Amino acid sequence: MELLNTLYELLHNSVKKYSNKIAFSMLGGEDVTYNEVGQRVKQVQDLLVGAGLKAGDKVAILSSSMPNWGISYFAIVTSGMVAVPIMPDFTGAEIDKLIEHSEAKALLVSDKLFTKISKETVAGLNIVIRTKNLSVISQKVEAEGSITIPKPEDLAVIIYTSGTTSTPKGVMLTHYNLASQINLLYNLYPIGPEDSMLSVLPMSHTYECSLGMLYVIATGASTTYLEKPPTPSVLLPALRKVRPTCFLIVPLIIEKVFNSQILAKFTANKFMATLYGVGFIRRFLHRLAGKKLIAAFGGRARLFIGGSKLDETVEQFLMDAKIPYAIGYGLTETAPLVAGQISPRVKLGSTGPAMGGVEVRLDDINPETGHGEIVVKTPCALQGYYKNEEATASVFTKDGWFRTGDLGYIDEEGFIFIKGRL
């Protein structure tokens, strides 16, 4: 894959290269080709420019997952504007505060989440666009704005990590930060145009946005979105229908499936529980259950990617069952991944070694435990927190490395083991 410098390059390369392939789908709804993504991006840009927006202006996205979420994001960042993705589970008051703090001039919003926002906030925006069909909900400003092709050092997004604190922390990431993340991912999790993903995490989450959308579009793969939250009753039929080859998942979902579908069955009565307690029988049962689980997930899954450390019992099950899995470690501030591992080259309880191009070290090591703070040097590290110099200063070491705030140790092969927060 060619190395990227901006998200503008990412989108334009892919639209040209994979034009008639499907990029985004809604389960039971529309399919959108790469070509159509390019057309809709232009449509959103025209609306923003017609409301007086120009490069550097902030545009908030508050929407459930759907093809137009990614289209809105690309429309903003490829025109030199700055996207402000907002988590759908923030309260109305938090959302109002973040829109105000980010100085967003426009908003792209889904119907249900629109009801969370105050009338005053809506009245202060140049334009509000409905993500469902890209129609205009309200427009207060009619003026001719402009767009510019972004440069690598230009700000691409501001991502708020929490909504409740008195001074919000908006992580500022440039085009170079995000493009570098995509470049690093090629070597960690190989995916390509033949792959299909099922999306279950909010797209405003950096992990889902970088790995589940930006990386997928860069590689020519396709993603399907769900109308409803991914409860087991929604998820299992969706998996059978979509039959994804790759699946980005939070460990909690794997743990729930394991505890309810597998562990519960193997320990349902005393006889089974006794058998399950015997090592080689347990491994055999795990192998059988693994085959069933892959079938339940549509039979094509070649990679489950978990966003953080797995419960060790669950990870042992994945190993025994020979279910192909990968784990990533990172933070919003690092766009997000700094380390990762992919089976069969995995170690139980580890998040894997640093990705190629990223350096990791331990600071302030405790002589008794050997644990220290994990600090990283990566091309994906944030520029700082938006309008919060104090927080920015506290998060970098004197020599410019990013402090993760995570405690852990690194073994002789470079594998990182997380042992809690500072």
Side-chain angles (χ1 to χ4, degrees), residues 1 26 43 80 92 97 131 158 177 250 253 267 303 401 407:
M1 301 292 292
M26 203 72 209
Q43 189 187 336
K97 183 168 188 175
T131 49
I158 298 173
N177 292 149
V250 282
I253 296 179
T267 52
L303 193 56
W401 290 45
L407 286 174

Side-chain angles (χ1 to χ4, degrees), residues 329-377:
Y329 161 66
L331 302 95
T332 301
E333 284 85 344
T334 50
L337 290 194
V338 293
Q341 59 178 357
I342 180 167
S343 55
R345 204 180 160 252
V346 287
K347 284 191 184 185
L348 189 64
S350 173
T351 56
M355 297 202 288
V358 175
E359 293 174 70
V360 176
R361 70 172 194 228
L362 298 179
D363 275 9
D364 304 320
I365 297 170
N366 178 327
E368 283 168 30
T369 59
H371 301 167
E373 184 186 6
I374 296 165
V375 298
V376 299
K377 190 180 183 186

Side-chain angles (χ1 to χ4, degrees), residues 78-389:
T78 61
S79 61
M81 296 171 199
V82 180
V84 183
I86 298 176
M87 292 281 195
D89 54 2
F90 284 162
T91 65
E94 287 170 338
I95 292 165
D96 286 338
K97 183 168 188 175
L98 297 185
I99 289 174
E100 183 194 357
H101 186 267
S102 67
E103 300 169 45
K105 290 187 176 177
L107 169 70
L108 289 115
V109 65
S110 56
D111 298 1
K112 215 184 208 156
L113 294 168
F114 183 56
T115 59
K116 281 189 172 188
I117 305 168
S118 69
K119 289 188 172 66
E120 293 73 35
T121 295
V122 172
L125 293 161
N126 292 24
I127 188 169
V128 179
I129 301 165
R130 185 182 182 202
T131 49
K132 188 170 181 162
N133 56 9
L134 305 180
S135 61
V136 175
I137 296 175
S138 73
Q139 184 166 355
K140 301 285 187 292
V141 177
E142 304 253 354
E144 202 47 47
S146 61
I147 60 179
T148 50
I149 294 176
K151 297 189 285 297
E153 64 274 15
D154 289 347
L155 190 59
V157 292
I158 298 173
I159 303 162
Y160 287 94
T161 52
S162 63
T164 43
T165 46
S166 51
T167 312
K169 281 167 83 173
V171 173
M172 297 192 286
L173 297 171
T174 62
H175 281 264
Y176 178 73
N177 292 149
L178 289 158
S180 298
Q181 176 74 191
I182 305 311
N183 296 338
L184 297 179
L185 286 170
Y186 290 136
N187 300 319
L188 184 61
Y189 307 135
I191 67 169
E194 63 295 334
D195 282 307
S196 67
M197 309 277 271
L198 179 69
S199 171
V200 295
L201 304 173
M203 295 177 75
S204 45
H205 199 288
T206 321
Y207 174 62
E208 182 66 29
C209 189
S210 289
L211 278 79
M213 187 192 70
L214 296 178
Y215 185 44
V216 170
I217 292 294
T219 53
S222 66
T223 306
T224 302
Y225 299 103
L226 299 170
E227 281 279 0
K228 298 182 179 130
T231 57
S233 61
V234 170
L235 196 53
L236 291 168
L239 284 161
R240 284 194 290 272
K241 195 167 178 190
V242 176
R243 301 180 63 231
T245 58
C246 301
F247 193 30
L248 271 190
I249 198 164
V250 282
L252 194 65
I253 296 179
I254 303 183
E255 284 161 24
K256 269 186 183 164
V257 171
F258 173 75
N259 291 326
S260 64
Q261 307 279 318
I262 292 152
L263 193 62
K265 283 178 185 154
F266 289 149
T267 52
N269 58 49
K270 213 167 175 182
F271 174 67
M272 276 305 288
T274 308
L275 282 180
Y276 190 66
V278 181
F280 75 93
I281 297 178
R282 182 171 58 243
R283 285 191 289 279
F284 174 71
L285 292 172
H286 278 173
R287 189 85 183 91
L288 289 182
K291 285 183 173 157
K292 275 193 167 158
L293 195 62
I294 293 226
F297 280 7
R300 293 199 310 166
R302 60 170 192 81
L303 193 56
F304 294 86
I305 305 176
S308 58
K309 196 162 92 74
L310 284 165
D311 175 84
E312 288 196 15
T313 336
V314 179
E315 191 176 355
Q316 188 64 61
F317 159 71
L318 294 177
M319 284 178 160
D320 294 344
K322 299 198 170 16
I323 290 175
Y325 74 99
I327 292 174
Y329 161 66
L331 302 95
T332 301
E333 284 85 344
T334 50
L337 290 194
V338 293
Q341 59 178 357
I342 180 167
S343 55
R345 204 180 160 252
V346 287
K347 284 191 184 185
L348 189 64
S350 173
T351 56
M355 297 202 288
V358 175
E359 293 174 70
V360 176
R361 70 172 194 228
L362 298 179
D363 275 9
D364 304 320
I365 297 170
N366 178 327
E368 283 168 30
T369 59
H371 301 167
E373 184 186 6
I374 296 165
V375 298
V376 299
K377 190 180 183 186
T378 167
C380 313
L382 78 163
Q383 302 309 296
Y385 295 106
Y386 186 57
K387 300 198 295 198
N388 192 340
E389 284 173 25

